[in-house]
Amino acid sequence: MKNYTKIFLQRKRKKRLEQGHPWVFQSEVERIEGKLSLGELVQILNHQGVFLALGYANPKSQIIARVLSYDPAEEIDASFFIKRIQKAKEYRERFLPGSRSYRAVYGEADFLPGLIVDKYEDYLVVQILSYGMERLKSHILEGLLTVFQPKGIYLRNDVPVRELEGLQQETGVWYGEVPRYIEIMENDLRILVDVYEGQKTGHFFDQRENRAALKLLMNGWKEKGKEGAEVLDCFSHTGGFALHAAYYGAKEITAVDISELAIETAKRNAQLNGLQDRIRFEVANVFDFLREKEKEGRKYDVVILDPPAFAKSRSAVKGAYRGYKEINLRGMKLLREGGFLVTASCSYHMTPDLFVQMIQDAAFDAHKILRLVYFAGAGKDHPEIAGVDEGHYLKFAIYEVRSRG
Ligand code: SAH
């Protein structure tokens, strides 16, 4: 066996690692045998010296090591990556049969901490988020090429967390050729993904199933003597929810986002699906937009709120709570009696309990009674390891909204 640096964990610690959590915190370490270098492979052992896992180290981070394998004899080489990536692919093929576009590798939850791979048809877009993974780049590339045989791979390493790891931000073609726009299919809709300039890797796969859930809300309007629902899609990005609403039969949709670039792509997406006549696009700040519509007395049947993470750290939760509450309260007020609020938060620090409390707080202030129609998290290509709360970031809910007096 190789001569790895050894990290011994304290006796009195939460048995997090044994419960499947892939991180070792500085505060759990009893002693270190050997030299701990940035990104190097290390063995993680309990206080008695019993082997627990193989990982890579970052002596400067609170997370001093991340787990790669529970097998002491594992070689972390190209064949390791081929095996792990193959397993991740099989998982998607099982749970998203027929789909050619999905999050193919979701970091820790696919036992590849710090590695994100999104598959857009024949292309891959990759984010390498840690020094430990960056060091293994050539093996990763071999793994991806062997398993997916892509036409091209694009790096979207323009993520600030890389600088905390001592890495530079960078973007560009990593392998083959990659066009700027790639057309994917999601729930029967054609969607253009801007892989060079779009947000994150260009598309948010995590809401796939939740976008499909809009179908529930688009039926039943004819019985009410209406052609279809009037929908407001806030934080629309490239039109994900708006397109689905139109496809499932909404009469009229307004899609709002602050990013001109995102709205441009959203418009192209509407054209691509022949839905442009029913979707209106606006570049605006949602906070201002909601206030204005309230002043005008405008009403909708369905209001969708899918904001970015307002809370990026625990200390930011209080301010974020106010922000979430404000848009939810205003969203509720813009609904016709018995309309539906579709609301999400992708901030990990906004826990599910806090999220629900925030919505109830907003309902109280708006004099509304809510009935829960649907509650979910991220889609099936974002697996969650039980007990790893950090992976449980997305909350998504649909409520029927009625007035109280
Ligand atoms: N609903 C989208 C994803 C939303 S991501 C989908 O289904 O794909 C969050 C979006 O909010 C981004 O597109 C970002 O440009 C936008 N955004 C952030 N702050 C905003 C604000 N104050 N007003 C309007 N849009 C905002």
Side-chain angles (χ1 to χ4, degrees), residues 35-74:
K35 187 170 177 295
L36 197 66
S37 323
L38 185 60
E40 293 285 336
L41 296 181
V42 289
Q43 277 191 346
I44 302 152
L45 306 98
N46 75 6
H47 65 284
Q48 295 170 313
V50 176
F51 173 88
L52 296 175
L54 206 57
Y56 61 73
N58 183 344
K60 284 189 295 189
S61 166
Q62 281 305 310
I63 305 166
I64 194 167
R66 300 202 212 184
V67 172
L68 285 166
S69 176
Y70 299 101
D71 173 3
E74 186 104 70

Side-chain angles (χ1 to χ4, degrees), residues 199 204 211 235-237 240-241 257-259 284-286 306 308:
Q199 294 176 34
F204 298 102
R211 292 186 190 109
F235 310 96
S236 186
H237 190 230
F241 283 99
D257 200 283
I258 204 163
S259 159
N285 183 327
V286 163
D306 183 20

Side-chain angles (χ1 to χ4, degrees), residues 203-374:
H203 182 65
F204 298 102
F205 280 123
D206 55 357
Q207 297 274 33
R208 176 197 299 100
E209 287 87 337
N210 298 332
R211 292 186 190 109
L214 282 188
K215 193 169 183 196
L216 294 169
L217 307 182
M218 298 305 148
N219 303 324
W221 298 96
K222 297 225 163 63
E223 293 72 19
K224 285 184 155 186
K226 283 184 76 151
E227 246 175 78
E230 280 172 70
V231 178
L232 174 62
D233 178 22
C234 298
F235 310 96
S236 186
H237 190 230
T238 55
F241 283 99
L243 295 167
H244 281 74
Y247 177 68
Y248 296 133
K251 175 175 155 238
E252 189 188 305
I253 301 115
T254 307
V256 184
D257 200 283
I258 204 163
S259 159
E260 229 165 283
L261 185 66
I263 288 293
E264 236 174 70
T265 309
K267 283 181 184 166
R268 289 177 67 182
N269 284 334
Q271 293 269 354
L272 205 56
N273 294 282
L275 300 169
Q276 68 276 14
D277 296 343
R278 281 184 286 140
I279 312 179
R280 284 193 316 118
F281 295 94
E282 280 211 38
V283 177
N285 183 327
V286 163
F287 285 85
D288 299 336
F289 184 90
L290 292 175
R291 217 171 293 137
E292 247 168 59
K293 294 298 144 184
E294 195 181 324
K295 227 188 276 163
E296 286 170 21
R298 181 74 165 88
K299 296 283 177 197
Y300 301 89
D301 300 307
V302 177
V303 172
I304 301 164
L305 302 168
D306 183 20
F310 291 156
K312 297 224 163 77
S313 65
R314 199 176 311 165
S315 58
V317 166
K318 228 172 151 190
Y321 188 97
R322 276 198 300 274
Y324 285 118
K325 185 178 162 189
E326 177 173 343
I327 55 172
N328 277 275
L329 188 141
R330 292 193 192 278
M332 287 174 201
K333 286 187 176 170
L334 287 177
L335 284 168
R336 296 201 174 92
E337 183 61 24
F340 297 97
L341 181 75
V342 177
T343 182
S345 164
C346 59
S347 173
Y348 155 66
H349 299 283
M350 193 77 186
T351 60
D353 283 350
L354 208 54
F355 177 68
V356 169
Q357 188 193 320
M358 173 277 296
I359 292 164
Q360 285 173 3
D361 244 16
F364 177 87
D365 286 3
H367 298 262
K368 302 288 184 189
I369 293 174
L370 306 179
R371 290 205 296 181
L372 183 65
V373 179
Y374 179 90

